[in-house]
Amino acid sequence: MTVTAAILIFISVFMHVAWNMLSKSTRPSTAFYLIMNFVGGIIWLPFFIQIAPSFWGLPCLFYWLLAGSCVFEVVYMYGLAHGYKNGDISLIYPLVRALPVVMLAVITLAAGIGKPFDLLTFGGMVMIAAGCFIMPFASFRNISLRSLNKLALLFIALGAIGTTGYTLCDSQALKFLVSGSAPVSTSVTLGYLFLIQMGLSLGEVPLILFDSAERTAFKQFCGKSIIYPVIAGVCSSGAYALILFAMQYVTNVSFIQAFRQLSLPLGFLAGVIFLHEKSSPTKVTGLALILTGLLITTGIVHLFFEYLCRICAQISTM
């Protein structure tokens, strides 16, 4: 994982936390996400108009991946919104984020997608997922999914499947837009994001049309409350634009999903520092697991041991 990718994801994490906080501050709904995603798409429309010809004549697989990404995005948004309605937000969100870390790593390894990583790196990803899993629980005795009803578990699974699916589809689709060995240009990347956001918005429309509660929520958000999904749209779309750029600087897309979990410890620290929220052994342990897993996954631990071995070798030759 390169420094460029790490910086892009790090900035993206802050924007991701921001739009999720806005979503949580209102009543989570598909209607909120529809407006959010549509606004996000409109932002990148000028880039799509500029480079639209670049998307014509590409192999059929590209369009299947594009369609797949939109479908998985809808599944993710639907699972997230309805998961919040059927369970505690502070519990649902970390679980939705935890599962894709391992799921994506297993899929890429099994399918031979990207450069294979070693067992230590996979162990780091498992540590990140474990940290995400235990952080939301009040104590170690309470670590159990029994507190969640079956619907909540279903929507957690949908959110995790959606995240895994769209990340994988986007990473593969971008490869069709590469010119030689250079990364995809900024305009083409943002034009691709426009297609994703518009496809996602269209996919969410039927979910609102056939649900009276969602139609009511949509009308409310189109009034005075529209500022919330609009700001969320800017943050959400901007955050994923950075992720698309970062995908071009990693050897395996699993690194992207793992490093994105930095949002959880940052959210925890922000809550303790600014909101004076109470800490707990599970939160501290989860934080430690995530940070340690990130150090392992990003290769910092490898570099440390290599440096240590060099020092030991120099000392032994003295």
Side-chain angles (χ1 to χ4, degrees):
M1 184 170 178
T2 66
V3 175
T4 301
I7 293 174
L8 290 171
I9 299 171
F10 187 74
I11 298 172
S12 171
V13 161
F14 285 95
M15 300 179 75
H16 185 81
V17 171
W19 81 257
N20 270 277
M21 291 297 291
L22 283 169
S23 171
K24 293 174 184 179
S25 66
T26 62
R27 187 176 180 181
S29 64
T30 307
F32 179 96
Y33 295 139
L34 170 60
I35 298 173
M36 179 185 80
N37 294 317
F38 182 76
V39 169
I42 292 300
I43 293 173
W44 312 121
L45 177 59
F47 293 94
F48 176 74
I49 294 175
Q50 178 185 352
I51 49 81
S54 301
F55 294 99
W56 313 145
L58 292 172
C60 290
L61 181 57
F62 168 80
Y63 301 106
W64 280 111
L65 289 168
L66 175 62
S69 177
C70 294
V71 171
F72 280 120
E73 285 268 17
V74 172
V75 171
Y76 164 66
M77 292 291 180
Y78 184 80
L80 195 63
H82 289 270
Y84 288 163
K85 292 179 181 179
N86 290 275
D88 188 352
I89 291 176
S90 63
L91 182 60
I92 299 294
Y93 179 73
L95 294 180
V96 171
R97 303 295 294 178
L99 293 174
V101 177
V102 176
M103 291 170 64
L104 197 59
V106 171
I107 291 173
T108 54
L109 285 175
I113 299 173
K115 183 180 179 180
F117 42 81
D118 56 29
L119 189 60
L120 181 61
T121 301
F122 182 73
M125 293 180 182
V126 172
M127 289 180 69
I128 293 171
C132 295
F133 182 82
I134 69 173
M135 274 193 77
F137 292 97
S139 68
F140 289 105
R141 293 180 179 179
N142 295 332
I143 297 178
S144 173
L145 295 179
R146 294 178 182 177
S147 59
L148 296 170
N149 57 47
K150 292 182 179 179
L151 273 178
L153 289 173
L154 171 63
F155 292 125
I156 287 172
L158 287 177
I161 291 170
T163 301
T164 303
Y166 76 69
T167 303
L168 194 58
C169 286
D170 288 339
S171 67
Q172 296 304 299
L174 286 174
K175 293 180 179 180
F176 289 95
L177 303 173
V178 174
S179 177
S181 59
V184 183
S185 70
T186 299
S187 297
V188 172
T189 300
L190 297 180
Y192 174 78
L193 183 55
F194 166 79
L195 293 174
I196 292 293
Q197 298 275 193
M198 290 297 103
L200 172 55
S201 300
L202 289 174
E204 289 172 325
V205 169
L207 300 178
I208 295 175
L209 290 178
F210 297 103
D211 189 324
S212 58
E214 291 290 351
R215 291 198 300 272
T216 301
F218 183 77
K219 291 177 182 177
Q220 292 175 345
F221 282 121
C222 285
K224 295 181 180 179
S225 300
I226 196 170
I227 187 65
Y228 296 106
V230 168
I231 296 176
V234 174
C235 293
S236 171
S237 188
Y240 200 60
L242 294 174
I243 293 299
L244 290 178
F245 287 123
M247 284 181 180
Q248 303 168 53
Y249 294 95
V250 295
T251 55
N252 191 302
V253 72
S254 297
F255 291 118
I256 297 286
Q257 195 58 45
F259 203 73
R260 289 182 75 185
Q261 306 323 306
L262 187 60
S263 61
L264 288 174
L266 285 176
F268 163 70
L269 292 174
V272 172
I273 296 171
F274 300 109
L275 302 179
H276 306 291
E277 295 178 351
K278 293 183 179 180
S279 182
S280 68
T282 50
K283 287 183 178 180
V284 174
T285 304
L287 176 65
L289 283 172
I290 292 173
L291 293 179
T292 303
L294 285 171
L295 290 175
I296 295 172
T297 303
T298 54
I300 294 177
V301 170
H302 292 74
L303 293 174
F304 173 77
F305 280 112
E306 285 181 7
Y307 180 71
L308 192 63
C309 289
R310 288 176 185 175
I311 293 177
C312 291
Q314 289 177 356
I315 294 174
S316 63
T317 56
M318 290 181 179

